[in-house]
Amino acid sequence: MNVLVIGSGAREHALCRSLSLDPAVTALHCAPGNAGIAEVAELHQVDALDGEAVSALAVELGAELVVVGPEAPLVAGVADAVREAGIPVFGPSKEAAQLEGSKAFAKDVMAAAGVPTARSYVCTTPEEAAEALDAFGAPYVVKDDGLAAGKGVVVTDDLEAAAAHAAACDRVVIEEFLDGPEVSLFAITDGVSVVPLQPAQDFKRALDGDEGPNTGGMGAYSPLPWADPKLVDEVLETVLQPTVDEMRRRGTPFSGLLYAGLAITGRGVRVIEFNARFGDPETQVVLARLRTPLAGVLKAAATGDLADLPPLRWSDDAAVTVVIASHNYPDAPRTGDPITGLAEVAAEDAPHAYVLHAGTKQDGDAVVSAGGRVLSVTAAGADLGEARERAYRAVARIGLDGSQHRTDIAARVAGA
């Protein structure tokens, strides 16, 4: 199978790494990719938001499967353009991607499908926002209705900060605060059948102890030893399948990756949000544990053949990812700093630990930072303690001036 992956982050590097290990994949391309992806796939320059350019590249390469990684191209309709060119594509249509593109749309779908979620108000004026904030009280949860790269949500006890975030957005969803641990559960779907993956937990705050601003995610781990063993089945039955059924009923079937961000509250499971693509950094740990070759699974979703797929196989190992971010992330991250230690990790820590590139680029002989989240250091082990130890040992080998990372990823659950 000849596969083209669209995107340039650590999620896409994780996808490309898994696809490169799949014996069925005979050619692997990525556009635009990054310095790390270049080691496993042939890179091509393309505007990932330009559906015509992406579909033309797919035709030119003879791609038999296109995998669209990030949310922005999906919401821009890139998957539709590839489908129109007659090429199987893993990723929802522009209309279906509104599950992530609009928080208000997602709430409407959940209400129709009977999916448990937080009570909420959609607000377009300061007066509506003030009324909603008053109705729910602190802690205040204010979400930009549109795409915000994982950073459009403010959770705060400060009423002024909540009102200011609402005022800065055209339209916001203000909702009740959901207590309890958060879980990310991905599911692959062809619009009818739904195949859940293993759950993961990510760490959104920039600093240790869940302090500091919200980020795109600073680390993740899987499995979740504290979660109810029946959690995946329950979420499939009460959240994932009803949502996919409702989208099909509306005439906008959702095929691709449906990501449910969940809160395990005292009143049961509640959906915090949906995403229309693999999450970053959870993808890194989930794919580290997947034993079924990836290409066939994604192709089955793209061609409507998911029901014929045998059950997925998983490693008993645990996996931990630690994100290394650039100086001043998530505000105005510094770029262009040289990265050292990558060869040392490959020589000393493989195959148990490896580095997935996110914001990097090749600059002559050097690899330099080119974004906020720069690297995802991922490791597997017999348990979370061993996986964590291996991940941080590899992190210690990497040099990036002014970089930052959390030191407590999976610490509590690993007993560290």
Side-chain angles (χ1 to χ4, degrees):
M1 199 189 304
N2 182 344
V3 183
L4 168 62
V5 176
I6 303 301
S8 62
R11 162 188 45 225
E12 287 74 39
H13 193 176
L15 287 163
C16 285
R17 180 182 182 274
S18 289
L19 290 165
S20 74
L21 298 172
D22 185 338
V25 175
T26 49
L28 182 58
H29 304 271
C30 186
N34 61 39
I37 295 174
E39 295 174 13
V40 294
E42 187 182 336
L43 301 192
H44 304 269
Q45 281 311 306
V46 76
D47 178 354
L49 297 175
D50 185 336
E52 286 185 20
V54 170
S55 61
L57 175 63
V59 169
E60 182 191 325
L61 295 174
E64 295 157 279
L65 174 67
V66 175
V67 180
V68 183
E71 60 272 26
L74 292 167
V75 171
V78 167
D80 304 81
V82 176
R83 273 194 195 93
E84 281 165 23
I87 298 171
V89 58
F90 182 80
S93 67
K94 177 178 182 174
E95 283 188 307
Q98 284 303 303
L99 265 184
E100 176 166 6
S102 167
K103 305 285 188 300
F105 175 78
K107 287 287 187 185
D108 187 58
V109 170
M110 284 188 264
V115 169
T117 186
R119 293 177 300 125
S120 63
Y121 295 102
V122 178
C123 307
T124 54
T125 67
E127 292 75 23
E128 287 175 352
E131 208 171 303
L133 292 168
D134 183 55
F136 288 130
Y140 305 104
V141 181
V142 185
K143 299 180 175 182
D144 190 335
D145 181 51
L147 289 183
K151 298 189 283 288
V153 179
V154 165
V155 181
T156 179
D157 288 321
D158 183 335
L159 179 59
E160 280 185 27
H165 183 60
C169 306
D170 287 339
R171 186 159 86 144
V172 291
V173 173
I174 294 174
E175 62 184 40
E176 66 176 329
F177 176 75
L178 296 175
D179 63 329
E182 293 185 14
V183 173
S184 300
L185 185 61
F186 303 160
I188 289 172
T189 176
D190 57 8
V192 179
S193 300
V194 182
V195 177
L197 304 185
Q198 290 287 305
Q201 185 170 57
D202 81 329
F203 293 73
K204 281 286 183 204
R205 299 283 186 174
L207 307 175
D208 284 6
D210 291 329
E211 299 289 331
N214 253 354
T215 71
M218 295 299 290
Y221 69 90
S222 178
L224 311 181
W226 49 267
D228 186 329
K230 298 193 286 290
L231 175 67
V232 174
D233 290 341
E234 181 191 338
V235 174
L236 175 62
E237 190 180 317
T238 62
V239 174
L240 299 168
Q241 192 70 58
T243 300
V244 169
D245 292 346
E246 172 62 19
M247 291 295 285
R248 191 173 69 253
R249 189 191 68 75
R250 290 173 177 230
T252 53
F254 186 104
S255 80
L257 195 291
L258 179 59
Y259 163 153
L262 308 165
I264 313 299
T265 76
R267 293 171 295 145
V269 174
R270 297 287 184 272
V271 175
I272 300 168
E273 64 176 357
F274 283 129
N275 290 329
R277 38 74 196 181
F278 280 103
D280 181 345
E282 302 98 318
T283 301
Q284 289 85 304
V285 290
V286 172
L287 292 185
R289 301 184 56 227
L290 180 65
R291 287 292 164 265
T292 303
L294 183 62
V297 181
L298 303 186
K299 181 81 177 280
T303 54
D305 299 322
L306 215 47
D308 302 329
L309 201 71
L312 299 181
R313 291 180 292 110
W314 295 94
S315 164
D316 291 331
D317 282 357
V320 171
T321 285
V322 180
V323 171
I324 298 178
S326 53
H327 178 68
N328 208 34
Y329 176 77
D331 295 328
R334 193 171 77 206
T335 58
D337 288 313
I339 301 165
T340 60
L342 297 172
E344 286 79 358
V345 173
E348 302 290 335
D349 300 295
H352 303 300
Y354 48 88
V355 179
L356 298 168
H357 292 233
T360 69
K361 68 176 183 182
Q362 198 76 36
D363 185 9
D365 291 337
V367 175
V368 301
S369 61
R373 292 186 295 171
V374 181
L375 303 168
S376 281
V377 179
T378 301
D383 55 32
L384 285 167
E386 185 176 49
R388 189 174 182 278
E389 193 180 303
R390 286 171 170 173
Y392 278 106
R393 190 184 309 145
V395 167
R397 299 189 203 278
I398 291 168
L400 174 61
D401 187 43
S403 70
Q404 52 176 320
H405 65 269
R406 283 185 57 160
T407 65
D408 62 347
I409 303 300
R412 194 169 49 81
V413 75

